[in-house]
Amino acid sequence: MTPEATRRPWSVTLAVVLVMLGTLVAATTAAGPGEAAALVLLLLAVCFWFAVRAGRGRRGARTAVSCLTAVILVVAAPFALDDPLYGGATLLLAALLAVPGVVLLYRPAAEAYVRVRSGERGEEYEEYAG
């Protein structure tokens, strides 16, 4: 298989960037007590690691980054809603960045890319690549 045949679709790259930005914004809202902040930073680091692996076409990483994104948004929600001025808007911004990123990871082009990277044969990749 040539490198040209396994080129990453632009939507996968965009998805990784959106997920990383969204989870980073959500993590900044959860800068509460020391223990909670440490947990959120750990979740953020693991989410970034899985996002990079998902961008490389790893099926398990794609599932993990989806779950971790949801967990980070849920953990950040009480802290964000505690801030009456910008908390809700910040959490909404985080969700507006991260959720479309996760959705893009499951689009047909991304699915075909994951199949090719995992060794499964599929002619539909050529249809969506580009």
Side-chain angles (χ1 to χ4, degrees), residues 2 13 17 22 34 38 40-42 46 54-55 60 62 66 79-80 82 84 90 101 114-115 119:
T2 65
T13 304
V17 170
V40 170
L41 285 177
L42 177 66
V46 172
R62 187 174 61 166
S66 302
F79 297 105
D82 239 6
T90 306
V114 169
R115 282 190 184 146

Side-chain angles (χ1 to χ4, degrees), residues 27 31 55 65 83 90 104 116 118:
V65 79
D83 181 13
T90 306
L104 283 173
V116 168
S118 64

Side-chain angles (χ1 to χ4, degrees), residues 18-32:
L18 287 174
V19 167
M20 289 178 140
L21 285 175
T23 54
L24 180 64
V25 170
T28 60
T29 64

Side-chain angles (χ1 to χ4, degrees), residues 83-130:
D83 181 13
L85 190 55
Y86 296 115
T90 306
L91 186 63
L92 180 64
L93 175 65
L96 287 174
L97 288 170
V99 172
V102 169
V103 169
L104 283 173
L105 286 174
Y106 290 93
R107 299 273 306 167
E111 181 64 34
Y113 174 67
V114 169
R115 282 190 184 146
V116 168
R117 293 288 295 177
S118 64
E120 298 174 21
R121 289 286 178 198
E123 291 77 32
E124 66 271 359
Y125 179 73
E126 287 77 22
E127 179 181 329
Y128 296 109

Side-chain angles (χ1 to χ4, degrees), residues 29-85:
T29 64
E35 294 172 2
L39 172 67
V40 170
L41 285 177
L42 177 66
L43 286 172
L44 183 67
V46 172
C47 186
F48 276 19
W49 186 71
F50 278 119
V52 169
R53 291 188 52 83
R56 293 181 181 161
R58 306 292 190 262
R59 188 177 304 278
R62 187 174 61 166
T63 304
V65 79
S66 302
C67 295
L68 283 169
T69 300
V71 167
I72 289 174
L73 289 172
V74 168
V75 167
F79 297 105
L81 298 177
D82 239 6
D83 181 13
L85 190 55

